[in-house]
Amino acid sequence: MSDENAPWLIAGLGNPGPEYAMNRHNVGFMVADLLARRMGAKFKRATKGQAQVVEGRIGPPGPANRRVILAKPMSFMNVSGGPVTALRDFYKVPLSHIVAVHDELDIDYGVLRLKLGGGDNGHNGLKSITKAMGPDYHRVRFGIGRPPGRMQVADFVLKDFSSAERKELDYFVDRAADAVEALVTEGLERAQSSYNS
């Protein structure tokens, strides 16, 4: 199968369990959930690896329509690499068709940045994926800003979005889902020019 026709694997990163559902660290899950709703599908437990999975298609009918596997690793953030690698192998997804959707401390809240490859910037989910398969996968980075005052980063990312942030959260998650769809159907450069604000 040529890379052009290969499926895409979109991994929304987060932590499993209701106590983490609205954490800043779980914005990848939020984007994946919205993409699944747009496909009219529900996540189911994958047979391969510890992840919930939806299979479907993104994009308009015709050549831009892409087969995608949406995944939410259920292994906890800092060991996301195992489930993502298992899914990559099972679905035979080339590295160039893997997208990690994740929270990003060094970008202001709600700002998006799309890129291919690069470092992990201290993000344990990315660190785990990069260790498992190398750095050359796509990232949709969802800005959450830096912790206020002297709050520790670990405490900040595992806190729920503030009430002020929640007022705009649905809009920003919607925009991030649009950016993922654009990346898959139009390619990185076009998606960057539309969504890298």
Side-chain angles (χ1 to χ4, degrees):
M1 181 187 319
S2 77
D3 275 9
E4 182 63 24
N5 298 318
W8 284 76
L9 172 57
I10 299 161
L13 302 187
N15 286 309
E19 68 272 32
Y20 299 106
M22 289 305 295
N23 286 183
R24 293 181 178 92
H25 224 16
N26 269 41
V27 77
F29 275 16
M30 296 173 199
V31 174
D33 285 335
L34 177 55
L35 287 165
R37 286 199 299 275
R38 290 181 179 184
M39 292 167 149
K42 283 198 169 16
F43 276 97
K44 59 183 189 290
R45 184 65 107 180
T47 49
K48 295 285 175 197
Q50 284 183 288
Q52 290 183 355
V53 175
V54 166
E55 294 181 58
R57 301 193 80 84
I58 282 179
N65 192 262
R66 300 280 184 257
R67 180 174 166 234
V68 299
I69 297 98
L70 282 177
K72 295 194 298 183
M74 292 285 117
S75 58
F76 286 96
M77 177 71 85
N78 56 357
V79 286
S80 301
V84 174
T85 304
L87 291 168
R88 175 200 68 182
D89 295 346
F90 181 72
Y91 289 103
K92 299 180 172 48
V93 181
L95 197 53
S96 62
H97 280 207
I98 294 174
V99 183
V101 185
H102 64 91
D103 57 304
E104 178 62 65
L105 286 160
D106 285 339
I107 303 174
D108 289 341
Y109 174 60
V111 172
L112 295 175
R113 292 273 188 280
L114 285 69
K115 71 175 194 170
L116 175 63
D120 57 57
N121 212 17
H123 191 288
N124 288 331
L126 296 184
K127 203 173 284 185
S128 177
I129 294 171
T130 297
K131 187 176 175 192
M133 63 178 73
D136 297 326
Y137 53 92
H138 290 90
R139 297 99 188 276
V140 174
R141 303 156 72 207
F142 186 111
I144 60 168
R146 300 293 305 181
R150 296 190 171 169
M151 187 188 290
Q152 294 297 310
V153 164
D155 296 332
F156 179 69
V157 299
L158 293 175
K159 275 204 173 346
D160 287 359
F161 284 103
S162 70
S163 54
E165 288 169 333
R166 279 203 295 272
K167 290 189 174 84
E168 296 180 293
L169 184 59
D170 286 349
Y171 168 77
F172 289 140
V173 168
D174 194 65
R175 194 163 179 274
D178 290 347
V180 171
E181 291 181 350
L183 171 61
V184 168
T185 58
E186 300 172 23
L188 179 62
E189 285 186 12
R190 288 188 65 176
Q192 282 175 325
S193 67
S194 300
Y195 292 97
N196 277 18
S197 37

